Amino acid sequence: MKLPYAEPYRIKMIEEIRQSSREERVAWLKDADYNLFNLKSSQVYIDLLTDSGTGAMSDSQWGAMMTGDESYAGSRSFQALYDTVNKITGFPYLLPTHQGRAAENVLFSVLVKDGDVIPGNSHFDTTKGHIEFRKAHAVDCTIDEAFDIENDHPFKGNIDLEKLEAIYKEYPKEQIPFCLITITCNTSGGQPVSLENIKAVKSLSDHYGIPIYFDSARYAENAYFIKTREAGQADRTIKEICKEIFSYGEGMTMSSKKDGLVNIGGFIALRNEEVFQKASNFTIIYEGFITYGGLAGRDMNALAVGLDEATEFDYLHSRISQVEYLGNKLIEYGIPVQKPIGGHAVFVDALKFLPNVPRAEYPAQTLGLELYKEAGIRGVEIGTLLADRDPETRENRYPKLELLRLAIPRRTYTNNHMDYIAAGLKNVFDRREDIKKGYNITWEPAILRHFTVKLEEAK
Ligand SMILES: *Cc1c(COP(=O)(O)O)cnc(C)c1O
C-alpha cells in the first residue's frame, strides 16, 4: 500500500494541556466578554486562535539560541540571519524588527502617505491598519473565485489583473507607492498566489512604473503550493521557488512568527539602497539599532535556522497535510469549509453553518463561541468583527464571507487533536438549527476592534 505521510521529526519535549468542563467554560466566556482573545490560555484545551508564534522550535533552533551573540551592533547572529535571508530571498538589505506589523510600520513610514492607494490581494488586518492609520487606502484586487468557498481554484490568493489595472488607470503613479502581494493570502483563507500570477502582476506593474512588495508571512507555504499545484514546478526545490518569487519584488515584510518557525520576530528585506537608508532611520526610532531591530541575538539565531527548516519540502508536506487532514474530516461530516483547504488553517463557513443567526449578530463569532463551549477549542472570527467599520461612515463593513478560522500551529498538535477538533465541531453542527441568536457589541475601540471588542448575548 501507499505509505501515508508522517512527520519528519519525533517529539523530544511535551507541554501539558488540560480539559475543562462545559460549566467552567460558560463562566469563563462571560468573564471574557465573549471575546476569545480575553481567555487565559489555561482555559483553552486546543488553541487554534492563531498559527502566529505558536509553533514548536526544533532542537537545532534551541541549540542555536545558546550561541546567540548579544552584541549591540554587528553581531554574528545578525550575520547568520542576513546570510539566510539573502540566500532564500536574494534581497541585499535586511532590517530585523520585533514582528511583522513592526516591519509594516517601518516600511510604510517610508513609502505610504496621506491619500495613497495600495492595491493588493486582501490585505492582512494590521497591514490595512497601518495603511489606514496613514490616511491611505488598501484596495482589494483578489480574484472573484476567492469569495466563492465552493470554488476549488488552486490559487485563490491570485490578483485579478483587470481590477489591478483599473486602479493603475484611475490613480496617478505618485499616489500608488506599491502593489502589495500577500503570500499566502491570509485574509482570503491561507490561499496561495501562483508564480504565473506573480509574474503577470510584475509585468503589468512594470508597465505602470509601480513596484511590488510582498507581505510574506507564509511565503514557504505558498511555495509548497506552487510546487505541488502549478504546471512545470514539481521538480524545483522550495528554495528555488522562493528565490524566484522574491526576484519579482522590491522588498518584503515578514512576520517570522509564521514561516520563520520562531515565537517572535520579523524583518524587512529590500533591494533598493535608498529605501533601506530611510527605513533604517525608522528602525532605529521604533525598533532598535539596525542589526537587531528589537530582537535578541539568540532570537535572530533561532530565526536563521527556522527559515532554513521552513523551506524544506518534507517539513512543509507534513504541515500542510495535517491541515488538509482536519479539513477533509470536516468535509466528511458535511461541515461547510472553504475549498481547497488553505495552508495554515481550515476556514468554516459560518453563514452556511449557522443560517439562523442574523448577520448583524456576528455568526462567525457565534460559531467560535459555540465551539469553545462545546470542546474547549479556541478559533478566531474572520468576519464582520475583523472587517471593522468603514473609517469614514463608521458603518459595519460586511465582508463577502463570514468565517471561523481554525489555525493550526506548526509542529505542535497531533492528528489525534485534529480528530478531537473535528468531533467538537460536528457536535455543534448536529445542533445548528437550535442556534438562533448571536451577540451584540457593548464596547469597541477605534481601530482593530476584534482584539478587544466586548460583547453580550443577543436578547
Ligand atoms: C501575521 C501577519 C502579519 C503581522 O505580523 P505580526 O508578526 O503578527 O505582527 C502581517 N501580514 C500577514 C499576512 C500576517 O499573516
Side-chain angles (χ1 to χ4, degrees):
M1 76 195 273
K2 185 172 180 281
L3 293 174
Y5 87 91
E7 288 70 17
Y9 52 84
R10 55 186 174 179
I11 296 166
K12 195 180 291 225
M13 190 186 285
I14 58 107
E15 177 183 2
E16 248 172 46
I17 49 178
R18 177 183 162 267
Q19 301 213 34
S20 51
S21 69
R22 188 180 173 97
E23 291 66 42
E24 283 177 311
R25 293 194 290 271
V26 167
W28 290 334
L29 265 193
K30 191 160 187 284
D31 287 345
D33 294 302
Y34 301 99
N35 183 336
L36 293 163
F37 283 97
N38 287 337
L39 289 175
K40 298 187 177 82
S41 66
S42 58
Q43 296 167 339
V44 176
Y45 177 52
I46 298 180
D47 207 344
L48 308 182
L49 183 67
T50 176
D51 64 319
S52 178
T54 52
M57 293 209 299
S58 66
D59 54 353
S60 304
Q61 288 179 286
W62 282 107
M65 295 212 45
M66 295 303 292
T67 56
D69 174 357
E70 305 304 340
S71 304
Y72 192 92
S75 70
R76 287 189 308 275
S77 300
F78 173 78
Q79 195 58 47
L81 180 59
Y82 178 89
D83 291 345
T84 306
V85 171
N86 180 256
K87 177 182 79 179
I88 293 173
T89 69
F91 289 125
Y93 298 103
L94 170 70
L95 289 166
T97 62
H98 79 274
Q99 59 184 88
R101 69 200 65 189
E104 290 164 355
N105 187 33
V106 168
L107 186 66
F108 295 180
S109 294
V110 179
L111 299 177
V112 180
K113 59 181 193 315
D114 193 330
D116 279 355
V117 171
I118 292 140
N121 51 341
S122 301
H123 308 65
F124 182 65
D125 59 345
T126 62
T127 317
K128 200 173 198 165
H130 274 295
I131 291 169
E132 291 177 352
F133 181 73
R134 290 171 172 80
K135 299 197 163 52
H137 301 275
V139 183
D140 187 0
C141 298
T142 313
I143 56 170
D144 289 336
E145 287 89 332
F147 305 103
D148 170 6
I149 78 155
E150 292 294 334
N151 186 319
D152 59 7
H153 189 293
F155 292 101
K156 284 168 113 173
N158 280 359
I159 289 182
D160 184 320
L161 299 170
E162 280 175 25
K163 292 184 193 171
L164 183 64
E165 187 157 27
I167 299 299
Y168 288 170
K169 285 189 168 142
E170 186 176 347
Y171 297 94
K173 184 178 145 189
E174 296 66 38
Q175 228 176 309
I176 311 174
F178 54 92
C179 168
L180 188 68
I181 309 181
T182 303
I183 49 175
T184 57
C185 188
N186 190 347
T187 314
S188 84
Q191 299 291 335
V193 181
S194 72
L195 201 51
E196 189 189 7
N197 187 249
I198 294 171
K199 277 194 241 179
V201 170
K202 163 74 176 162
S203 92
L204 182 68
S205 303
D206 274 354
H207 181 74
Y208 287 89
I210 312 288
I212 288 170
Y213 282 81
F214 290 100
D215 180 354
S216 34
R218 299 179 185 81
Y219 72 95
E221 291 173 6
N222 200 102
Y224 173 88
F225 286 120
I226 288 174
K227 179 178 166 75
T228 55
R229 291 182 184 171
E230 193 163 341
Q233 301 297 323
D235 295 333
R236 303 178 74 194
T237 67
I238 297 292
K239 285 186 170 71
E240 282 165 355
I241 295 170
C242 292
K243 192 83 165 263
E244 183 178 348
I245 292 173
F246 291 119
S247 74
Y248 301 118
E250 274 301 298
M252 65 189 283
T253 55
M254 177 69 186
S255 169
S256 306
K257 305 171 73 172
K258 284 76 168 227
D259 281 351
L261 288 175
V262 292
N263 303 113
I264 195 74
F267 60 84
I268 302 167
L270 298 164
R271 195 175 303 290
N272 180 290
E273 186 177 356
E274 196 187 325
V275 177
F276 168 72
Q277 296 297 4
K278 289 182 181 159
S280 295
N281 290 335
F282 287 105
T283 299
I284 292 169
I285 295 171
Y286 292 132
E287 296 294 298
F289 185 63
I290 58 171
T291 62
Y292 76 87
L295 298 178
R298 55 179 169 272
D299 293 336
M300 291 190 283
N301 262 14
L303 175 56
V305 177
L307 288 167
D308 235 333
E309 292 179 354
T311 44
E312 285 300 318
F313 179 79
D314 287 354
Y315 153 73
L316 285 165
H317 183 55
S318 91
R319 183 244 180 329
I320 289 174
S321 299
Q322 183 176 54
V323 178
E324 207 177 17
Y325 175 85
L326 172 62
N328 287 339
K329 267 256 127 95
L330 299 181
I331 291 169
E332 203 180 290
Y333 294 156
I335 294 169
V337 298
Q338 185 186 46
K339 291 173 202 132
I341 306 300
H344 66 287
V346 176
F347 292 74
V348 183
D349 183 341
L351 292 178
K352 287 203 184 111
F353 194 116
L354 293 179
N356 299 335
V357 174
R359 194 79 205 262
E361 294 177 7
Y362 311 104
Q365 177 71 6
T366 305
L367 180 56
L369 295 169
E370 283 300 323
L371 180 61
Y372 174 72
K373 281 190 270 181
E374 177 68 33
I377 298 161
R378 171 158 69 171
V380 73
E381 190 243 30
I382 305 281
T384 308
L385 285 180
L386 177 68
D388 223 312
R389 292 179 190 277
D390 184 287
E392 271 129 44
T393 68
R394 301 304 298 157
E395 291 297 318
N396 263 339
R397 282 192 282 218
Y398 288 103
K400 295 188 183 104
L401 297 176
E402 195 71 47
L403 302 169
L404 174 66
R405 185 183 79 173
L406 305 173
I408 311 300
R410 295 170 180 76
R411 305 192 289 207
T412 301
Y413 292 111
T414 68
N415 282 6
N416 284 335
H417 293 111
M418 300 303 122
D419 290 341
Y420 177 96
I421 297 158
L425 207 55
K426 165 113 174 42
N427 289 346
V428 179
F429 194 58
D430 287 345
R431 57 182 171 77
R432 65 190 181 279
E433 292 299 332
D434 303 331
I435 304 169
K436 298 191 171 91
K437 287 185 179 147
Y439 293 81
N440 292 319
I441 292 178
T442 58
W443 178 85
E444 66 185 281
I447 56 163
L448 296 178
R449 68 178 176 184
H450 74 295
F451 291 118
T452 53
V453 66
K454 294 182 184 182
L455 299 157
E456 65 181 7
E457 286 174 327
K459 302 273 170 342

